[in-house]
Amino acid sequence: RESFAQLTNSLLNNLAKRTLARQIQDISGKAQVAIDILVRNLFERTADIGFLAIDQVVRQYALATARGEAVHPEILGGRFREYVAKYSVYRDVILLSPQGEVLARLDHGREGSPDGTISRPPFLQEALTTSAPFVESYAPVDLFPGEPPVLIYAYRVEDPASGVLGVLCLCFDFPDEMARIFTDLARDGDWSVITLLD
């Protein structure tokens, strides 16, 4: 009886260790996939800001506002909507003047129309002068009053003849993107919790 009990305990312990090892491997794999997807998605955003900052429609709109010409916000709003429909990871796209005035934005409450408010985001001056291909900011910002930190990629909009015309801001929808990643990795009845820590 003692030998059988020892054998049973040994088998159960071995089974428990193997089950634990398998679970650790499973959740470690999920964690690795989650962070890999996030890093890849953020890396792709660094190309988006450079591409959209030289977009002809964006540049012409910024140039027209700099010259004091009448502008049609729906043209730029439509361009922003096209872009966000293609790359659904953005919650807002904002064009600021060099002084921080909101020239146009894709805000679902405003249907992309400019609101003329003045913003003083900490990244504005850096985006106007940086030699880097983009500026990345993750902080509370007055463009989204009362909200937690917002992840923004920013870069200046320039015209060869007129110089700097403004700053384009791509506002990454961080909570939505993480929820999407987590949902794809979680199975029905899964007991584990996936979370992103600093």
Side-chain angles (χ1 to χ4, degrees):
R1 258 200 314 270
E2 285 178 9
S3 297
F4 182 75
Q6 288 174 358
L7 179 61
T8 302
N9 287 336
S10 176
L11 289 171
L12 288 174
N13 285 339
N14 191 43
L15 180 64
K17 287 177 182 176
R18 288 190 179 196
T19 302
L20 178 61
R22 193 163 49 246
Q23 291 297 333
I24 290 173
Q25 185 177 21
D26 184 48
I27 60 177
S28 297
K30 282 183 184 177
Q32 187 66 58
V33 168
I35 205 69
D36 286 348
I37 292 172
L38 177 61
V39 168
R40 187 199 70 209
N41 287 353
L42 294 178
F43 180 73
E44 289 173 358
R45 307 296 64 89
T46 64
D48 290 350
I49 186 62
F51 175 75
L52 198 55
I54 60 171
D55 182 87
Q56 208 53 32
V57 176
V58 174
R59 185 182 288 167
Q60 289 301 321
Y61 185 93
L63 186 58
T65 57
R67 291 174 175 167
E69 298 172 8
V71 293
H72 301 285
E74 64 276 2
I75 293 174
L76 196 56
R79 185 72 176 127
F80 287 168
R81 277 190 290 278
E82 283 175 23
Y83 203 79
V84 170
K86 191 173 183 183
Y87 304 99
S88 59
V89 294
Y90 297 113
R91 61 180 291 190
D92 207 348
V93 182
I94 305 169
L95 179 63
L96 300 173
S97 73
Q99 295 74 38
E101 181 184 0
V102 177
L103 301 177
R105 75 183 296 174
L106 173 70
D107 177 75
H108 299 297
R110 296 185 180 89
E111 288 300 318
S113 62
D115 63 10
T117 57
I118 298 293
S119 174
R120 300 281 183 228
F123 58 82
L124 180 65
Q125 194 58 40
E126 186 181 355
L128 290 168
T129 59
T130 186
S131 58
F134 61 90
V135 171
E136 183 179 31
S137 170
Y138 184 67
V141 63
D142 61 2
L143 292 163
F144 299 93
E147 294 194 25
V150 180
L151 179 60
I152 296 177
Y153 292 91
Y155 196 70
R156 61 186 168 272
V157 177
E158 297 177 279
D159 178 71
S162 304
V164 177
L165 303 170
V167 171
L168 185 71
C169 307
L170 295 180
C171 309
F172 187 75
D173 197 343
F174 208 103
D176 184 69
E177 184 64 12
M178 293 314 303
R180 198 177 335 204
I181 292 171
F182 293 161
T183 300
D184 288 345
L185 291 172
R187 294 187 299 267
D188 288 342
D190 195 345
W191 55 268
S192 60
V193 176
I194 311 175
T195 186
L196 183 69
L197 304 176
D198 65 12

